[in-house]
mmCIF file of all heavy atoms in Angstrom:
data_model
loop_
_atom_site.group_PDB
_atom_site.id
_atom_site.type_symbol
_atom_site.label_atom_id
_atom_site.label_comp_id
_atom_site.label_asym_id
_atom_site.label_seq_id
_atom_site.Cartn_x
_atom_site.Cartn_y
_atom_site.Cartn_z
ATOM 1 N N PHE Y 8 -7.209 3.005 -3.280
ATOM 2 C CA PHE Y 8 -6.152 3.735 -3.971
ATOM 3 C C PHE Y 8 -5.335 2.764 -4.822
ATOM 4 O O PHE Y 8 -4.942 1.696 -4.345
ATOM 5 C CB PHE Y 8 -5.240 4.432 -2.950
ATOM 6 C CG PHE Y 8 -5.987 5.384 -2.071
ATOM 7 C CD1 PHE Y 8 -6.616 4.935 -0.906
ATOM 8 C CD2 PHE Y 8 -6.104 6.712 -2.414
ATOM 9 C CE1 PHE Y 8 -7.320 5.813 -0.097
ATOM 10 C CE2 PHE Y 8 -6.810 7.591 -1.620
ATOM 11 C CZ PHE Y 8 -7.432 7.145 -0.462
ATOM 12 N N GLU Y 9 -5.075 3.166 -6.037
ATOM 13 C CA GLU Y 9 -4.297 2.321 -6.940
ATOM 14 C C GLU Y 9 -2.808 2.550 -6.721
ATOM 15 O O GLU Y 9 -2.384 3.635 -6.325
ATOM 16 C CB GLU Y 9 -4.672 2.629 -8.385
ATOM 17 C CG GLU Y 9 -6.099 2.243 -8.696
ATOM 18 C CD GLU Y 9 -6.461 2.472 -10.144
ATOM 19 O OE1 GLU Y 9 -5.608 2.910 -10.932
ATOM 20 O OE2 GLU Y 9 -7.620 2.199 -10.490
ATOM 21 N N PHE Y 10 -2.026 1.504 -6.992
ATOM 22 C CA PHE Y 10 -0.569 1.592 -6.880
ATOM 23 C C PHE Y 10 0.065 0.731 -7.967
ATOM 24 O O PHE Y 10 -0.592 -0.107 -8.580
ATOM 25 C CB PHE Y 10 -0.096 1.156 -5.492
ATOM 26 C CG PHE Y 10 -0.401 -0.284 -5.161
ATOM 27 C CD1 PHE Y 10 0.403 -1.312 -5.610
ATOM 28 C CD2 PHE Y 10 -1.532 -0.618 -4.413
ATOM 29 C CE1 PHE Y 10 0.112 -2.632 -5.310
ATOM 30 C CE2 PHE Y 10 -1.838 -1.938 -4.103
ATOM 31 C CZ PHE Y 10 -1.008 -2.947 -4.563
ATOM 32 N N VAL Y 11 1.352 0.958 -8.170
ATOM 33 C CA VAL Y 11 2.157 0.140 -9.077
ATOM 34 C C VAL Y 11 3.414 -0.260 -8.320
ATOM 35 O O VAL Y 11 4.184 0.615 -7.887
ATOM 36 C CB VAL Y 11 2.527 0.901 -10.373
ATOM 37 C CG1 VAL Y 11 3.386 0.017 -11.278
ATOM 38 C CG2 VAL Y 11 1.282 1.374 -11.094
ATOM 39 N N LEU Y 12 3.616 -1.546 -8.127
ATOM 40 C CA LEU Y 12 4.786 -2.023 -7.394
ATOM 41 C C LEU Y 12 6.054 -1.728 -8.188
ATOM 42 O O LEU Y 12 6.071 -1.862 -9.419
ATOM 43 C CB LEU Y 12 4.684 -3.528 -7.142
ATOM 44 C CG LEU Y 12 3.569 -3.981 -6.205
ATOM 45 C CD1 LEU Y 12 3.540 -5.507 -6.141
ATOM 46 C CD2 LEU Y 12 3.749 -3.394 -4.824
ATOM 47 N N PRO Y 13 7.132 -1.386 -7.506
ATOM 48 C CA PRO Y 13 8.398 -1.120 -8.214
ATOM 49 C C PRO Y 13 8.889 -2.324 -9.019
ATOM 50 O O PRO Y 13 9.356 -2.173 -10.141
ATOM 51 C CB PRO Y 13 9.375 -0.790 -7.086
ATOM 52 C CG PRO Y 13 8.513 -0.318 -5.961
ATOM 53 C CD PRO Y 13 7.230 -1.092 -6.070
ATOM 54 N N ARG Y 14 8.780 -3.531 -8.475
ATOM 55 C CA ARG Y 14 9.274 -4.719 -9.184
ATOM 56 C C ARG Y 14 8.119 -5.625 -9.625
ATOM 57 O O ARG Y 14 8.099 -6.071 -10.755
ATOM 58 C CB ARG Y 14 10.222 -5.510 -8.294
ATOM 59 C CG ARG Y 14 11.475 -4.740 -7.965
ATOM 60 C CD ARG Y 14 12.515 -5.628 -7.351
ATOM 61 N NE ARG Y 14 13.655 -4.864 -6.912
ATOM 62 C CZ ARG Y 14 14.667 -4.523 -7.689
ATOM 63 N NH1 ARG Y 14 14.684 -4.907 -8.928
ATOM 64 N NH2 ARG Y 14 15.660 -3.811 -7.212
ATOM 65 N N GLY Y 15 7.211 -5.936 -8.742
ATOM 66 C CA GLY Y 15 6.076 -6.780 -9.078
ATOM 67 C C GLY Y 15 6.160 -8.151 -8.455
ATOM 68 O O GLY Y 15 7.250 -8.681 -8.214
ATOM 69 N N TYR Y 16 5.008 -8.704 -8.205
ATOM 70 C CA TYR Y 16 4.891 -10.055 -7.645
ATOM 71 C C TYR Y 16 4.967 -11.060 -8.794
ATOM 72 O O TYR Y 16 4.255 -10.938 -9.789
ATOM 73 C CB TYR Y 16 3.568 -10.194 -6.894
ATOM 74 C CG TYR Y 16 3.280 -11.597 -6.437
ATOM 75 C CD1 TYR Y 16 3.944 -12.130 -5.343
ATOM 76 C CD2 TYR Y 16 2.369 -12.390 -7.117
ATOM 77 C CE1 TYR Y 16 3.694 -13.432 -4.927
ATOM 78 C CE2 TYR Y 16 2.103 -13.688 -6.702
ATOM 79 C CZ TYR Y 16 2.776 -14.197 -5.609
ATOM 80 O OH TYR Y 16 2.541 -15.475 -5.200
ATOM 81 N N VAL Y 17 5.814 -12.058 -8.641
ATOM 82 C CA VAL Y 17 5.963 -13.093 -9.668
ATOM 83 C C VAL Y 17 5.223 -14.334 -9.183
ATOM 84 O O VAL Y 17 5.581 -14.920 -8.152
ATOM 85 C CB VAL Y 17 7.450 -13.423 -9.925
ATOM 86 C CG1 VAL Y 17 7.566 -14.476 -11.033
ATOM 87 C CG2 VAL Y 17 8.225 -12.161 -10.294
ATOM 88 N N ASP Y 18 4.173 -14.731 -9.917
ATOM 89 C CA ASP Y 18 3.403 -15.903 -9.495
ATOM 90 C C ASP Y 18 4.095 -17.201 -9.922
ATOM 91 O O ASP Y 18 5.161 -17.174 -10.558
ATOM 92 C CB ASP Y 18 1.953 -15.823 -10.007
ATOM 93 C CG ASP Y 18 1.828 -15.895 -11.520
ATOM 94 O OD1 ASP Y 18 2.743 -16.411 -12.186
ATOM 95 O OD2 ASP Y 18 0.786 -15.436 -12.027
ATOM 96 N N SER Y 19 3.510 -18.335 -9.588
ATOM 97 C CA SER Y 19 4.134 -19.637 -9.846
ATOM 98 C C SER Y 19 4.307 -19.924 -11.339
ATOM 99 O O SER Y 19 5.138 -20.751 -11.721
ATOM 100 C CB SER Y 19 3.324 -20.754 -9.182
ATOM 101 O OG SER Y 19 2.007 -20.763 -9.707
ATOM 102 N N ALA Y 20 3.541 -19.238 -12.184
ATOM 103 C CA ALA Y 20 3.666 -19.419 -13.635
ATOM 104 C C ALA Y 20 4.651 -18.429 -14.248
ATOM 105 O O ALA Y 20 4.858 -18.429 -15.458
ATOM 106 C CB ALA Y 20 2.292 -19.267 -14.292
ATOM 107 N N GLY Y 21 5.233 -17.560 -13.419
ATOM 108 C CA GLY Y 21 6.200 -16.582 -13.915
ATOM 109 C C GLY Y 21 5.581 -15.269 -14.361
ATOM 110 O O GLY Y 21 6.285 -14.398 -14.870
#
Side-chain angles (χ1 to χ4, degrees):
F8 301 86
E9 294 183 1
F10 63 81
V11 179
L12 294 176
R14 295 192 186 275
Y16 173 76
V17 182
D18 66 22
S19 60

